[in-house]
Every structure is written in structure tokens, then in C-alpha cells.
């Protein structure tokens, strides 16, 4: 049985480093982009972003002053037993303690409409739980714990659209390209773009956020989806927005798409723009052991 204390412990370990240590796959992508960038000013900006990441890791200072909201995703294997009683309170307590201990900016308000005062704790944690389908292997007995810090600048530039089911892949590409043109500079490019296609109005945004957890360079499982990812990435970079929105070849580092079934009359599409400081960690919990791979494939 995996308990709330097991999950809270994993999230606490993530929060020790997550604000100041950029994921290695993203740091590598920035370095490759710097080498391949054709605009000297853009290459210089990419070099500054790399230097910022290296300094943050050395000093423990946050990568960005917006330390974001805390999103925790739990993906439970078909056979894993999870006792989630009191989990929300336990996670909120971990966040409050971690943000105070590491001097991170508290960025939440008590209520988006009726009480926009700051509680000073950065709670609540935005918690999502997903029961995975049986795979017939060890993953059926695992709980995957993902923690992400997501700032408002990139979230505010994201979108959700209910397309007509007759819409084509070209329409989806145009939707993403238009969004990046309109709002991409506000999301601190170079971007990592998570796209959710399918499910329902209330679930498709979660798909787009889950897409951001995939390691850069890891393509979608289906060839057609992988080809669409590369097609969108090429067209986004052809815009010329560039790092910091000041021009160049590197507007986005990657495009990741997650798909799901949907109603025959619907084609939900959510586009979750994320800045170059994509701050996330993932761990696997088992009832009898704890596995902590840096990058869960």
C-alpha cells in the first residue's frame, strides 16, 4: 500500500531542487540550439539562458522569479493500491514548508474571484489522479509521481479550442502557429509546446500539460502523431520569433502531443505553452521499494 506520506515525501524531494535545477534534457536542447542558431543575437540570448541555468544550479537560486503553482500528477498502475486519505492536506503542508525553507515566492491567491489575497504558502497543490489501463507488466504495480512548477506567463499564453470534427491536421497546425504569433513572446521563448488532442473540454488541458513531462527528443508513440509534432515545430520556428521574442531560428525547442478518444462530434485541442525553464521531476513509487529515475520514459 502506498500512503500519503510516501507521495508527500516524493514531492518534497522534488521541491528541494525543482526551482533551481533545469531538467538535463532541456539544458542539452538549449546548448544544441545555441550551436545551430543562425542569428548571432539569438545565439547570445541562448548562451545567457544556459548560463542562468548553470548559475541557478550552483547557487540554489531559482531559475525564474515566478516559482509558479505546484502541479502534482499521480499515474497509478492498474494493480497498485494507493491510500489517498488526507493527501491534499499533506501536500499543501509540504509545499508551504518547502517554499518557506527555500525562500521561493508564494504566488497563489485564496480565491480567483472572491478573495485575491495571498496566503503566503503557495498552497494549494493542484492535484490530478489518473488510473492507468492494465499493461500486464511491472508498471501495473507502480505509482508515478510527477511534480511541476508552472508560471503564469506561459499559462496565460495557453489556449483551449473546440474544433469541428471535420478539421484537418493543417487546421491544428495553423491553430498552434497563430497562438505562438499572438502570445508566444509573453511565454518566454524558446518554448516547449504541449498539445492535447481529444478527450473532453475539461480533460484536454490536462493532456496538454502531461505532454510537457515527456523528455525532449522522445517522439510520440504513433508515427502520425510524431510527424505532426515535427511539422508544427518546423512551422513555429519558421515564424522567426526567436529566443526572448527578439528574433531568430529558435522559437521552440520541442512540440509534444498527447491524444485521446473523443466524442464523434468533437475535436478538443489544448495548447500549453511552456517557457524554456520547464521545471519538473518524476519518480516511481512501489509498495515494496522506491525507484527514482531522473527521466521516466
Amino acid at each position: 500500500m502506498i500512503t500519503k506520506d510516501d507521495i508527500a515525501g516524493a514531492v518534497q524531494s522534488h521541491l528541494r531542487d525543482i526551482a533551481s535545477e533545469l531538467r538535463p534534457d532541456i539544458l542539452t536542447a538549449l546548448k544544441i540550439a545555441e550551436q545551430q542558431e543562425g542569428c548571432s543575437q539569438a545565439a547570445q540570448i541562448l548562451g545567457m539562458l544556459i548560463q542562468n541555468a548553470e548559475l541557478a544550479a550552483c547557487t540554489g537560486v531559482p531559475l525564474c522569479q515566478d516559482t509558479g503553482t505546484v502541479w502534482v500528477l499521480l499515474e497509478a498502475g492498474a494493480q497498485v493500491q494507493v491510500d489517498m486519505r488526507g493527501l491534499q492536506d499533506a501536500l499543501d503542508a509540504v509545499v508551504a514548508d518547502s517554499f518557506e525553507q527555500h525562500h521561493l515566492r508564494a504566488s497563489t491567491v485564496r480565491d480567483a474571484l472572491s478573495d485575491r489575497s495571498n496566503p503566503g504558502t503557495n498552497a494549494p497543490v493542484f492535484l490530478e489522479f489518473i488510473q492507468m489501463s492494465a499493461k500486464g507488466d511491472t508498471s501495473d504495480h507502480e505509482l508515478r509521481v510527477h511534480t511541476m512548477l508552472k508560471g503564469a506567463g506561459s499559462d496565460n499564453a495557453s489556449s483551449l479550442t473546440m474544433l469541428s470534427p471535420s478539421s484537418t491536421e493543417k487546421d491544428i497546425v495553423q491553430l498552434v502557429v497563430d497562438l505562438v504569433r499572438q502570445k508566444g513572446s509573453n511565454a518566454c521563448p524558446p518554448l516547449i509546446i504541449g498539445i492535447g488532442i481529444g478527450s473532453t473540454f475539461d480533460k484536454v488541458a490536462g493532456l496538454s500539460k502531461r505532454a510537457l513531462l515527456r523528455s525532449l527528443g522522445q517522439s510520440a508513440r504513433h508515427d502520425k502523431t510524431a510527424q505532426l509534432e515535427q511539422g508544427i515545430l518546423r512551422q513555429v520556428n519558421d515564424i522567426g520569433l526567436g529566443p526572448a521574442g527578439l528574433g531568430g531560428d529558435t522559437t521552440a525547442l520541442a512540440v509534444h502531443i498527447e491524444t485521446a478518444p473523443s466524442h464523434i462530434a468533437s475535436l478538443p485541442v489544448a495548447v500549453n505553452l511552456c517557457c524554456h525553464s520547464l521545471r519538473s521531476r518524476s519518480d516511481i513509487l512501489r509498495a515494496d521499494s522506491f525507484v527514482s529515475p531522473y527521466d521516466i520514459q
Side-chain angles (χ1 to χ4, degrees), residues 8-281:
V11 172
Q12 187 171 39
S13 71
H14 296 165
L15 292 173
R16 277 199 297 267
D17 305 317
I18 197 171
S20 58
E21 292 188 10
L22 190 62
R23 275 176 23 188
D25 58 314
I26 298 170
L27 184 57
T28 297
L30 285 172
K31 291 178 178 179
I32 293 172
E34 180 190 26
Q35 294 170 358
Q36 297 178 345
E37 176 60 57
C39 171
S40 59
Q41 176 180 267
Q44 183 179 15
I45 294 170
L46 289 168
M48 292 177 180
L49 298 180
I50 293 165
Q51 184 181 27
N52 178 75
E54 293 171 344
L55 285 172
C58 289
T59 62
V61 172
L63 288 154
C64 174
Q65 51 84 25
D66 185 351
T67 48
T69 53
V70 181
W71 176 62
V72 174
L73 169 65
L74 305 178
E75 295 179 309
Q79 301 298 322
V80 72
Q81 295 184 344
V82 184
D83 183 356
M84 295 179 62
R85 291 175 295 180
L87 177 60
Q88 183 70 56
D89 289 341
L91 292 178
D92 287 351
V94 162
V95 167
D97 179 69
S98 296
F99 269 64
E100 179 180 7
Q101 182 179 353
H102 302 297
H103 309 289
L104 305 180
R105 190 187 81 179
S107 302
T108 61
V109 296
R110 287 184 168 86
D111 185 88
L113 180 63
S114 64
D115 184 359
R116 293 194 65 88
S117 62
N118 192 323
T121 62
N122 216 56
V125 169
F126 294 89
L127 178 63
E128 185 175 355
F129 179 86
I130 297 173
Q131 180 76 59
M132 308 299 288
S133 299
K135 295 182 180 179
D137 56 28
T138 56
S139 65
D140 285 348
H141 299 271
E142 297 173 350
L143 177 72
R144 297 190 175 206
V145 182
H146 310 277
T147 306
M148 180 185 291
L149 297 179
K150 191 72 157 58
S154 56
D155 253 14
N156 289 347
S158 300
S159 75
L160 193 161
T161 305
M162 302 300 289
L163 290 177
S164 163
S166 62
S167 299
T168 64
E169 290 186 9
K170 184 178 179 180
D171 295 323
I172 295 173
V173 173
Q174 194 62 51
L175 175 71
V176 179
V177 170
D178 288 346
L179 178 67
V180 174
R181 279 203 181 101
Q182 294 166 11
K183 298 184 177 181
S185 60
N186 295 330
C188 299
L191 309 168
I192 299 94
I193 302 175
I195 301 173
I197 303 175
S199 191
T200 58
F201 172 83
D202 57 312
K203 296 294 185 183
V204 69
L207 276 179
S208 69
K209 201 164 188 177
R210 287 162 62 189
L212 297 174
L213 296 171
R214 194 198 313 159
S215 178
L216 270 63
Q218 181 189 3
S219 297
R221 290 171 293 176
H222 302 294
D223 289 343
K224 184 177 181 180
T225 307
Q227 290 169 8
L228 181 58
E229 290 177 339
Q230 291 305 308
I232 294 174
L233 180 61
R234 284 193 297 271
Q235 294 207 35
V236 164
N237 283 331
D238 284 346
I239 294 171
L241 187 65
L246 297 176
D249 303 324
T250 316
T251 300
L253 298 173
V255 173
H256 291 169
I257 298 173
E258 291 292 328
T259 62
S262 71
H263 192 284
I264 57 173
S266 294
L267 181 56
V269 179
V271 184
N272 196 325
L273 301 185
C274 190
C275 68
H276 56 272
S277 291
L278 202 175
R279 296 156 293 179
S280 72
R281 290 291 188 276

